[in-house]
Structure formats: C-alpha cells, structure tokens
Amino acid sequence: MESFGKYRIRWCPICTQGWIEIVKAIDTNELYVCCLECETEWESPKDALDLKVGTHDLYGMVTVPTFEEVCSKGWEKYISYK
Ligand SMILES: [Zn+2]
C-alpha cells in the first residue's frame, strides 16, 4: 500500500519499513491506524504505541481522513510532525 504521509504516528516497529498512519476505512468511515508497509492494523494510535497485537485484513479500502475527523477521535495529539 502507498503511504499517505499525512497523519504519521511513529515508525513501524514491526516491519521497520514504514510509518504507522491514521487512516479511514472507506466502507465504514471508521478511523484506525495502520502500517502501510506490513499492513498491521490497530484500533487506535494508543494501541499502536503500546505495541498491542495488531490485526490484519480487518478493514477494507482506506483513505485519508480529514483533520476534523482525526480531532473528533482526539487523535490529533498522536500525530508526529518529525
Ligand atoms: Zn509495518
């Protein structure tokens, strides 16, 4: 999957090949975070930072959420601008 590069959380510690980013499932409009390289998914940025076990293939096609959508989840504080 191509990186969106918009709402990066942290460098993926699982594959060390890509960024974990906030994305939105097109089907359900649900926000979650995903490494776009190894495609590991977590329900929230906190789960990713805590290195909880991620899932695969739980969500379908993704797009980039709006900043308002990210804020509505209270996730804007997780965005890394480094
Ligand atoms: Zn990864």
Side-chain angles (χ1 to χ4, degrees), residues 7-78:
Y7 305 119
R8 291 171 168 177
I9 303 297
R10 64 170 293 175
W11 191 245
C12 180
I14 312 270
C15 65
T16 68
Q17 299 287 310
W19 287 91
I20 298 172
E21 301 183 26
I22 300 173
V23 294
K24 180 172 90 166
I26 291 173
D27 288 354
T28 58
N29 286 334
E30 202 176 344
L31 269 63
Y32 66 100
V33 299
C34 176
C35 169
L36 300 175
E37 281 298 325
C38 63
E39 302 187 6
T40 304
E41 309 154 337
W42 293 269
E43 270 181 41
S44 76
K46 188 169 187 309
D47 287 354
L49 292 173
D50 290 347
L51 289 183
K52 291 200 180 158
V53 177
T55 59
H56 279 94
D57 303 322
L58 202 62
Y59 305 89
M61 292 288 292
V62 295
T63 186
V64 182
T66 65
F67 190 65
E68 285 72 27
E69 287 171 320
V70 173
C71 290
S72 75
K73 300 281 277 183
W75 289 358
E76 72 281 2
K77 64 173 182 277
Y78 293 108

